[in-house]
């Protein structure tokens, strides 16, 4: 496991380099100006389309515009909004939220463009079960641009499909299942494997029915779960409304300056906040990733741009609205930089690990250290009461020299609760690294619970309204995870169809469901969860953004042609009868 983590970490350092992130943001800015600020079109015309104003049942496709949006949103509005924001803030600081907003705005035009491209080249040979996505853009689009390069388009489609399957396994499945299992264990003591079994059975019952059943389920779940979660979040924000101006000032300030380490937060550089904010926002919104076009390609329409404009609503709902509410709840509650929940009787001693031959490993330049076990008692009943059980993960904050990844002197040393008696609980700590020549020291007197992802968000609700988080966040986490897993199951299925054909679908569905059981036991820490989930997202961005740039001119020509016809009154809403509808020369969907 450690060797796999090392390999993935090395790849992530390359694919998530600052220049790569700036390039993706730059593509979003490019399409923003090229479309004449298409964000406005998404918020106006896109809303009109999803109300059914332009629906025509005779158009090719399997689901209507609203169901396509709901299916795509069920994949994007998921645990990335609950757990992803928490991870971004806990690792990158408040400034990470600012960079999430930037992705949300630019992502509206990225999503609009990539969906338009996929609609232009989707396969409607079976009108009731169309196939689309960047792999089909490559296969059909390159063959159209340069017929002699058609095999190249097919190969690029294969590469994209492989990255799609990686992201399906890591972000679409692992991230969701692990967070559900973690929060269920945190609040209810439910063994992780039982949560995995329940989720596996529920997902299997839905994905066997294919995109039509997924669209129907998503159309019911997404509006309900979004409304419930947002209402609860807004209630917390209203209670802390006096703190909101200062929170926004903190977000903007720390987006461009280092975040000071306070309490459970170990601090963050401006660059690290930029990295974590963009990583989690691209993961949450899926803008430029190439996944959402697969769901939208199933929409009933003869107008590619129309579905593209609908897709532009997703980053706004996902990142600008839902992620912002989560971020404000976490920051206003103070849970992100909370005080220790447990106190120890005596400060634990820290010693270098002794290597073979009786020499301290640190003397040889090896920087592995061990903290002695310690006895702890509860300092904060509100936070700690439900957490005191064997196996609960905790951490202390030490100063151990500059970290190679974050550039920070502070770091977390993890441990677990291993038993109790009348005098308290015992904590056993893991070994940890420190910079060469530095002797680690404890900088915060106390022990913190390791609230990861969704659990941190739940604790933020509980700090304001005790007991609210225990119901709202676990319920939202289960619904979000369920809807996201079924939607990503369909995305991965389309990649399998492209690679191996329709006959492989049932085998894929079985493997996909079984992966849920593996995922809940596979990841050990929040850092590993962040590592694997962003790995799949990064791979897809590297393949899909160049595809978007190649076919961008086609998408933009179609975009401006569509809105030109709309301004000239050549497209009549399907619900508005007109004698000259056929004379207009265009389908009124």
């Amino acid at each position: 496991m450690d060797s796999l983590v090392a390999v993935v970490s090395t790849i992530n350092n390359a694919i998530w380099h600052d220049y790569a992130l700036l390039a993706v943001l730059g593509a979003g800015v490019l399409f923003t100006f090229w479309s004449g600020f298409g964000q406005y079109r998404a918020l106006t015309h896109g809303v009109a389309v999803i109300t059914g104003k332009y629906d025509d049942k005779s158009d090719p496709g399997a689901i209507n515009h609203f169901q396509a949006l709901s299916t795509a949103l069920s994949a994007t509005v998921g645990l990335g909004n609950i757990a992803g924001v928490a991870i971004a803030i806990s690792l990158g600081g408040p400034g990470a939220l600012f960079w999430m907003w930037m992705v949300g705005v630019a992502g509206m035009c990225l999503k609009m463009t990539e969906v338009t491209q996929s609609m232009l080249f989707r396969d409607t040979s079976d009108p009731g079960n169309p196939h689309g996505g960047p792999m089909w853009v490559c296969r059909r689009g390159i063959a159209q641009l340069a017929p002699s390069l058609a095999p190249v388009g097919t190969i690029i489609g294969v590469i994209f499909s492989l990255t799609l399957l990686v992201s399906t396994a890591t972000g679409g499945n692992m991230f969701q299942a692990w967070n559900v299992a973690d929060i269920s264990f945190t609040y209810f003591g439910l063994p992780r494997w039982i949560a995995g079994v329940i989720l596996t059975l529920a997902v299997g019952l839905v994905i066997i029915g294919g995109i039509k059943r997924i669209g129907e389920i998503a159309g019911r779940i997404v509006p309900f779960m979004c409304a419930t979660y947002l209402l609860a979040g807004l209630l917390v924000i209203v209670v802390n409304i006096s703190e909101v101006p200062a929170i926004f000032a903190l977000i903007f300030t720390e987006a461009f300056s280092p975040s000071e380490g306070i309490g459970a937060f170990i601090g963050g550089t401006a660059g690290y906040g930029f990295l974590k904010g963009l990583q989690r926002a691209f993961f949450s919104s899926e803008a430029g990733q190439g996944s959402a076009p697969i769901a939208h390609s199933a929409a009933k329409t003869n107008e590619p741009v129309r579905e593209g404009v609908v897709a532009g609503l997703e980053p706004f709902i996902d990142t600008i609205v839902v992620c912002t509410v989560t971020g404000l709840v976490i920051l206003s509650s103070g849970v992100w930089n909370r005080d220790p929940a447990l106190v120890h009787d005596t400060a634990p001693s820290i010693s270098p690990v002794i290597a073979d031959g009786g020499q301290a490993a640190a003397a040889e330049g090896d920087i592995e250290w061990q903290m002695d076990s310690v006895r702890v008692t509860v300092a904060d009943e509100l936070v700690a009461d439900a957490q005191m059980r064997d196996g609960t993960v905790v951490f202390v904050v030490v100063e151990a020299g500059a970290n190679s990844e974050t550039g920070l002197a502070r770091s977390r040393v993890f441990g677990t609760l291993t038993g109790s008696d009348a005098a308290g609980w015992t904590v056993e700590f893991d070994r940890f690294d420190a910079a060469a020549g530095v002797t680690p020291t404890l900088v915060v007197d106390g022990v913190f619970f390791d609230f990861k992802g969704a659990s941190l968000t739940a604790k933020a609700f509980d700090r304001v309204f005790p007991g609210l988080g225990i119901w709202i966040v676990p319920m939202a986490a289960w619904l979000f995870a369920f809807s996201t897993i079924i939607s990503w199951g369909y995305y991965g299925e389309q990649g399998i169809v492209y690679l191996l054909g329709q006959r492989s679908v049932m085998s894929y569905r079985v493997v996909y469901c079984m992966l849920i059981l593996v995922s809940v036991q596979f990841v050990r820490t929040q850092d590993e969860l962040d590592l694997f989930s962003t790995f799949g997202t990064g791979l897809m961005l590297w393949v899909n953004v160049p595809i978007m740039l190649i076919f961008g001119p086609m998408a933009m020509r179609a975009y401006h042609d569509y809105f030109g016809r709309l301004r000239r009154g050549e497209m009549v809403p399907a619900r508005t009868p007109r004698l000259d509808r056929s004379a207009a020369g265009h389908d009124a969907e």
Side-chain angles (χ1 to χ4, degrees):
M1 179 64 175
D2 289 336
S3 58
L4 177 61
V5 168
V7 170
V8 174
S9 179
T10 300
I11 298 173
N12 263 8
N13 289 337
I15 62 178
W16 286 106
H17 192 279
D18 286 355
Y19 292 130
L21 291 170
L22 290 172
V24 178
L25 270 182
V29 173
L30 170 65
F31 288 118
T32 294
F33 285 103
W34 204 342
S35 64
F37 292 89
Q39 292 91 339
Y40 170 76
R41 296 293 190 182
L43 294 172
T44 53
H45 186 62
V47 172
V49 173
I50 63 172
T51 61
K53 187 176 181 180
Y54 294 89
D55 286 354
D56 190 333
K57 293 182 180 179
S58 65
D59 284 338
I63 53 180
N64 61 36
H65 292 289
F66 177 74
Q67 288 176 327
L69 177 65
S70 295
T71 300
L73 274 175
S74 69
T76 54
V77 180
L79 279 168
N81 303 88
I82 297 178
V85 177
I87 290 173
I89 292 174
S90 64
L91 296 179
L97 191 58
F98 172 85
W99 296 111
M100 295 187 80
W101 293 337
M102 296 301 99
V103 171
V105 174
M108 292 177 72
C109 281
L110 284 174
K111 190 73 71 81
M112 183 178 68
T113 302
E114 62 182 339
V115 170
T116 297
Q117 291 173 350
S118 290
M119 295 298 291
L120 285 168
F121 296 106
R122 69 173 175 168
D123 177 12
T124 56
S125 54
D126 178 1
N129 186 32
H131 299 293
M135 56 279 208
W136 293 97
V137 173
C138 293
R139 173 183 284 186
R140 293 181 154 208
I142 291 180
Q144 180 176 317
L145 289 175
S148 61
L149 296 178
V152 175
T154 301
I155 293 171
I156 297 175
V158 168
I159 295 172
F160 174 82
S161 296
L162 292 174
T163 66
L164 171 63
L165 291 174
V166 172
S167 194
T168 298
T170 56
N173 190 313
M174 179 188 296
F175 184 87
Q176 316 300 325
W178 190 90
N179 268 288
V180 163
D182 180 70
I183 197 169
S184 299
F185 176 78
T186 296
Y187 272 106
F188 309 113
L190 184 69
R192 288 178 170 82
W193 70 268
I194 293 180
V197 169
I198 295 171
L199 196 55
T200 297
L201 294 175
V203 169
L205 289 173
V206 174
I207 66 172
I208 290 174
I211 185 59
K212 289 185 178 180
R213 182 179 294 179
I214 292 172
E216 291 170 0
I217 297 295
R220 295 186 180 100
I221 290 179
V222 171
F224 170 75
M225 69 184 185
C226 281
T228 303
Y229 181 76
L230 288 175
L231 285 173
L234 290 173
L235 183 61
V236 171
I237 294 169
V238 168
V239 170
N240 294 320
I241 193 67
S242 61
E243 300 177 27
V244 171
I247 290 171
F248 274 100
L250 183 68
I251 291 169
F252 284 102
T253 299
E254 298 207 353
F256 303 97
S257 60
S259 301
E260 181 183 356
I262 306 173
F265 179 61
I266 62 174
T269 63
Y272 199 59
F274 169 80
L275 173 66
K276 290 302 166 188
L278 266 62
Q279 280 183 339
R280 299 322 311 179
F282 279 122
F283 173 80
S284 178
S285 70
E286 300 175 22
Q289 193 173 340
S291 51
I294 298 171
H296 285 282
S297 293
K300 282 181 173 291
T301 185
N302 270 334
E303 292 286 354
V305 174
R306 184 170 294 160
E307 192 60 28
V309 173
V310 168
L313 288 168
E314 291 169 30
F316 178 82
I317 297 171
D318 174 272
T319 307
I320 304 300
V321 177
V322 184
C323 285
T324 298
V325 169
T326 300
L328 292 178
V329 167
I330 292 170
L331 294 173
S332 66
S333 71
V335 71
W336 66 286
N337 60 355
R338 62 195 179 279
D339 292 329
L342 306 172
V343 293
H344 37 66
D345 48 4
T346 57
S349 59
I350 306 173
S351 306
V353 176
I354 303 302
D356 292 340
Q359 297 295 320
E364 300 294 330
D366 195 343
I367 49 176
E368 196 168 54
W369 295 77
Q370 177 70 61
M371 184 176 293
D372 290 345
S373 60
V374 66
R375 304 285 289 179
V376 296
T377 54
V378 175
D380 184 347
E381 291 287 350
L382 176 64
V383 175
D385 188 52
Q387 301 298 308
M388 305 306 290
R389 61 170 69 95
D390 286 343
T392 296
V393 179
V394 296
F395 68 87
V396 293
V397 178
V398 301
E399 189 158 328
N403 182 284
S404 59
E405 181 182 4
T406 66
L408 302 172
R410 291 188 175 193
S411 59
R412 299 181 181 94
V413 176
F414 292 96
T416 55
L417 298 181
T418 57
S420 66
D421 56 27
W425 285 75
T426 300
V427 178
E428 298 285 348
F429 291 101
D430 301 334
R431 292 181 179 182
F432 65 99
D433 294 337
V438 174
T439 299
T441 56
L442 195 67
V443 293
V444 178
D445 189 23
V447 179
F448 300 89
F449 286 114
D450 183 31
F451 297 135
K452 299 179 282 288
S455 296
L456 182 70
T457 304
K459 290 300 174 183
F461 279 93
D462 278 340
R463 277 185 163 237
V464 181
F465 292 104
L468 180 62
I470 197 174
W471 297 112
I472 289 294
V473 176
M475 179 189 70
W478 272 89
L479 290 176
F480 282 171
F482 175 67
S483 62
T484 300
I485 290 173
I486 61 175
S487 294
W488 269 94
Y490 175 72
Y491 294 167
E493 180 178 308
Q494 294 305 298
I496 285 289
V497 168
Y498 184 88
L499 293 171
L500 303 176
Q502 194 69 34
R503 289 179 297 179
S504 61
V505 166
M506 190 54 65
S507 297
Y508 159 79
R509 290 173 179 172
V510 172
V511 172
Y512 183 73
C513 289
M514 291 300 101
L515 186 60
I516 296 173
L517 292 174
V518 176
S519 298
V520 297
Q521 300 289 342
F522 182 69
V523 179
R524 299 170 298 185
T525 68
Q526 176 177 269
D527 291 332
E528 288 182 1
L529 183 68
D530 178 66
L531 181 73
F532 285 113
S533 59
T534 54
F535 174 63
T537 302
L539 289 179
M540 290 187 71
L541 285 169
W542 268 82
V543 178
N544 187 54
V545 171
I547 294 172
M548 291 177 62
L549 294 174
I550 292 171
F551 294 97
M554 285 187 178
M556 289 298 100
R557 281 196 297 271
Y559 174 88
H560 290 293
D561 173 71
Y562 176 87
F563 282 104
R565 289 186 281 123
L566 186 66
R567 284 193 299 271
R568 294 192 297 270
E570 297 178 11
M571 286 183 287
V572 183
R575 291 182 178 178
T576 305
R578 279 268 302 268
L579 294 177
D580 61 343
R581 280 181 66 184
S582 59
H586 298 282
D587 253 352
E589 302 153 21

